Amino acid sequence: MAETTERLRVPEHVYRALGYLFPRLMFLNARYAPQVHWGDIAAALDGFPADDLDLASAGFWNLWRERWTARAEDYTVLAEGSGTTAGRGRALRGAAAAYHWAEFQYFDDRAVKQRLRQRVRECFLDSLAGTDLEVTEGSLPATGAGYWVLRTGAMRASGEPLPAVVLSNGLDSATEVEMVALAEAYLERGIAAVLFEGPGQGSRLGRTPVLVEMERVVAELLEGLRREPGIAADRLAFAGISFGGYLALRVARELGEHFRCVVNFGGGPAIAKFDGLPRRLKDNFRFAFDAGPGEDLQPRFDELAIEPGPAPATEVLSVSGALDDIFPVEGLYDLDRAWSGRHTLEVHPREAHTSLNLINSYTLRTADLVADRLAGRA
């Protein structure tokens, strides 16, 4: 008798438990950035046990890691077997994305997480063979940070110094995945993208605590960009997402005169009360800040809060979801009043953190705005 098989699918109990996360997994349509597709999600989550759906448990995220790692390894096999540069590159992009989703909420074993993050980087860089994207790496020795400058072939061929947007990671994003995806909208508009990794960001996550005063890194980065012959240092913008959006607000306040505009996607001047956060977010913050198990980070959160103060010396745009449970929108309303004339607040009433269901539209509109602000000499 032939063995019966069921259709490959995302089980309904899994979709009910974490369907909110799927827009994050698929993020943005991309040309260069690693990304997964619905079929990858179905393959990773098919048959996920109904009795292991406690998203607050380490066990859930360990099983999640195993399943996404297996999906990544399937892609690496596909890459090895491809007879074309294009096929190998596409498979490696799938592998890089799957490795990222394997590790992004996994905090039990620091060494395992770092190995997975290293695989994300290796697969992404290998996937660029045969493309027209150039990644130039730089270092910032004073703060121990690093950065990438992204330019396309057409941009390099112009021979002119290019306007640039500096992009900042959130706590659990990967430079090679979300940041490259966000960068593509600017590359399409002839704007170079500068992706920096301060302490605790990107490949440095879990190696050093995240630096709250990231404006120190950005100040050093500005000095480096002034020495970059292909960058017009008088035509810069800054953008960050999630915790990177919070950092963008700090950059606007401290270094606003160096940027024609600053964009905050989903950050805010204050984080929600630590006790009220879901366990996975508590673990995320503890990992990023190198805090001990069970440590209450509310005193740290209190120190992080940005007092509105005077308006910054640049134009700031904040995009927020009214239902954001990480950076409550009320803090942005206070900031908007204090920074009146310099701050534009866009609130989406049916969206939560980073308004992921609308990310394709608001990143498009924002990239157009940034391109307008960076046009022409000051």
Side-chain angles (χ1 to χ4, degrees):
M1 179 182 295
E3 183 178 345
T4 59
T5 58
E6 293 185 356
R7 178 169 58 90
L8 185 73
R9 66 188 182 94
V10 177
E12 291 181 13
H13 57 269
V14 176
Y15 188 83
R16 286 195 302 272
L18 75 160
Y20 72 93
L21 188 58
F22 291 172
R24 170 72 185 274
L25 298 178
M26 301 182 77
F27 207 61
L28 286 164
N29 294 328
R31 177 180 177 188
Y32 307 107
Q35 63 183 147
V36 296
H37 302 273
W38 183 260
D40 298 312
I41 298 172
L45 300 182
D46 181 60
F48 205 101
D51 59 355
D52 197 1
L53 282 176
D54 180 5
L55 273 63
S57 73
F60 173 87
W61 294 107
N62 188 51
L63 182 56
W64 171 278
R65 175 189 61 81
E66 291 175 352
R67 284 166 166 260
W68 278 106
T69 300
R71 189 69 193 132
E73 290 171 351
D74 287 344
Y75 268 120
T76 60
V77 171
L78 187 60
E80 290 166 1
S82 176
T84 65
T85 300
R88 185 172 183 274
R90 184 179 288 270
L92 286 170
R93 285 193 288 276
Y99 278 127
H100 173 42
W101 300 127
E103 59 77 24
F104 91 116
Q105 288 294 309
Y106 176 76
F107 305 111
D108 276 7
D109 188 319
R110 195 174 295 262
V112 169
K113 186 176 182 72
Q114 289 170 353
R115 282 199 300 272
L116 290 169
R117 284 240 160 181
Q118 183 60 32
R119 289 296 291 139
V120 175
R121 175 146 299 185
E122 291 167 351
C123 290
F124 168 68
L125 291 176
D126 286 349
S127 77
L128 296 180
T131 73
D132 68 338
L133 183 65
E134 176 190 73
V135 177
T136 304
E137 188 171 1
S139 63
L140 304 171
T143 54
Y147 65 95
W148 285 351
V149 178
L150 275 55
R151 286 171 284 221
T152 65
M155 294 163 69
R156 297 193 304 275
S158 73
E160 294 293 324
L162 299 166
V165 59
V166 178
L167 290 160
S168 177
N169 275 292
L171 284 186
D172 54 26
S173 57
T175 303
E176 305 85 355
V177 182
E178 292 96 337
M179 292 302 102
V180 173
L182 288 170
E184 291 194 21
Y186 301 99
L187 297 175
E188 291 167 352
R189 291 161 175 78
I191 300 169
V194 180
L195 318 183
F196 79 94
E197 291 186 344
Q201 288 187 310
S203 62
R204 291 166 169 78
L205 177 65
R207 300 179 187 274
T208 56
V210 69
L211 178 66
V212 174
E213 301 85 6
M214 204 67 76
E215 56 268 24
R216 287 164 41 196
V217 174
V218 177
E220 187 184 9
L221 175 62
L222 286 168
E223 290 298 319
L225 293 180
R226 291 187 186 104
R227 296 189 295 270
E228 286 275 354
I231 299 298
D234 63 332
R235 290 192 288 162
L236 300 177
F238 189 98
I241 191 165
S242 188
F243 193 77
Y246 161 81
L247 297 175
L249 296 176
R250 293 183 67 103
V251 167
R253 186 183 61 178
E254 302 297 331
L255 300 169
E257 67 273 17
H258 301 288
F259 296 98
R260 294 201 182 180
C261 60
V262 169
V263 180
N264 156 34
F265 295 131
I271 310 172
K273 294 297 182 183
F274 185 74
D275 283 347
L277 294 176
R279 176 181 165 177
R280 66 182 182 86
L281 288 176
K282 290 180 178 178
D283 290 345
N284 197 338
F285 276 105
R286 288 189 183 114
F287 189 86
F289 286 108
D290 198 22
E295 183 177 341
D296 181 6
L297 290 184
Q298 188 57 51
R300 190 87 59 93
F301 282 12
D302 292 340
E303 294 172 1
L304 293 177
I306 298 173
E307 295 300 324
T314 190
E315 177 183 355
V316 182
L317 168 66
S318 292
V319 179
S320 180
L323 307 179
D324 195 323
D325 58 353
I326 302 175
F327 289 98
V329 72
E330 288 77 15
L332 280 169
Y333 282 125
D334 291 340
L335 196 74
D336 189 56
R337 285 189 289 269
W339 290 3
S340 177
R342 283 294 196 176
H343 184 256
T344 302
L345 177 58
E346 180 181 306
V347 178
H348 299 287
R350 299 181 64 188
E351 289 296 311
H353 185 54
T354 65
S355 303
L356 282 169
N357 292 306
L358 302 175
I359 191 170
N360 198 49
S361 58
Y362 74 67
T363 52
L364 183 157
R365 287 186 285 103
T366 302
D368 283 345
L369 180 148
V370 171
D372 178 70
R373 300 303 185 269
L374 296 183
R377 297 284 173 180

